[in-house]
Amino acid sequence: MKPSPYFADQFRFFFKRFSSKESLFKWFLNQAGEYTAAFSFPESLRSNPKTLLFLPRDMESSAAFLHKMPNSWFTDVLCVAHESLHALISAKRAHAVYFSDTECRYGEHVFEEIEQKILEFAPTVCIYLGQPFLPRLYLAKKSGAACRIGFGCEGLYPFLNLCLHPDQLSEAELIAQYYGVGK
């Protein structure tokens, strides 16, 4: 039997391997908590608030986003990224917490450390890029950020509570526009 992509290899999570997607969605949401503070969009982004940024795993998508964001934007940003993106993020002089594929599973020691670092960072805004992955969505919700932005993510509420659809702009250009920062 192959390991679970969502949970640590521990007996207490063994039966979660057989749960439906809907059941897992509800379980992670229950673990993250129901509460979300109110926020005013887009005004809450104008003051360059503390931002938690979940980057997609693939280098091309992450690079496309990071290279379009001005360097000044990264002063109050904490990236959560796969370890393969270390050089890319370091080039932007951004702060980050990194994980490997086996470390970003609920119940892993490193996962708990990432969660603690996110809580200590106390972001106001969370931006989630890439494919939905329940443990990272859990971290986005658990972060305490009132404004949790995703792109084309209608089915992920309440993990992400603001869904943007960039028409002519890229995701990075749209975010930079809302933050009021330019190249």
Side-chain angles (χ1 to χ4, degrees):
M1 177 179 287
K2 74 180 204 178
S4 167
Y6 299 140
F7 297 100
D9 293 330
Q10 298 173 7
F11 181 73
R12 66 183 174 141
F13 301 122
F14 179 77
F15 293 105
K16 293 279 180 226
R17 295 176 186 209
F18 307 106
S19 298
S20 67
K21 287 183 180 182
E22 295 81 19
S23 176
L24 288 173
F25 188 92
K26 289 178 185 175
W27 187 87
F28 274 102
L29 183 58
N30 185 46
Q31 298 303 308
E34 296 287 325
Y35 178 76
T36 297
F39 65 95
S40 177
F41 182 81
E43 293 80 22
S44 60
L45 303 183
R46 291 278 177 216
S47 61
N48 201 20
K50 284 179 137 183
T51 302
L52 180 64
L53 174 64
F54 285 88
L55 288 167
R57 186 170 187 306
D58 68 289
M59 178 72 75
E60 189 175 309
S61 299
S62 293
F65 184 87
L66 293 176
H67 290 317
K68 288 186 179 178
M69 294 304 290
N71 289 335
S72 62
W73 183 74
F74 291 99
T75 56
D76 280 330
V77 172
L78 176 65
C79 300
V80 178
H82 189 267
E83 62 190 0
S84 63
L85 301 174
H86 191 279
L88 177 67
I89 295 168
S90 293
K92 285 291 186 179
R93 295 187 181 352
H95 300 285
V97 290
Y98 299 98
F99 60 85
S100 69
D101 293 329
T102 57
E103 293 171 336
C104 197
R105 300 183 304 170
Y106 190 90
E108 294 286 352
H109 179 68
V110 172
F111 185 85
E112 292 168 358
E113 288 176 357
I114 291 170
E115 181 178 353
Q116 187 58 40
K117 288 177 183 176
I118 289 170
L119 292 173
E120 288 170 5
F121 181 66
T124 304
V125 176
C126 175
I127 300 171
Y128 189 96
L129 304 171
Q131 297 298 314
F133 185 69
L134 285 172
R136 287 192 293 272
L137 289 169
Y138 159 85
L139 290 172
K141 175 79 170 82
K142 188 75 175 182
S143 72
C147 179
R148 297 179 304 279
I149 301 170
F151 296 88
C153 61
E154 292 83 5
L156 299 177
Y157 179 82
F159 288 109
L160 303 175
N161 59 3
L162 184 61
C163 181
L164 299 179
H165 293 276
D167 292 326
Q168 284 83 17
L169 301 175
S170 70
E171 294 169 345
E173 291 166 331
L174 185 61
I175 291 296
Q177 181 179 322
Y178 281 125
Y179 272 78
V181 294
K183 278 264 182 194

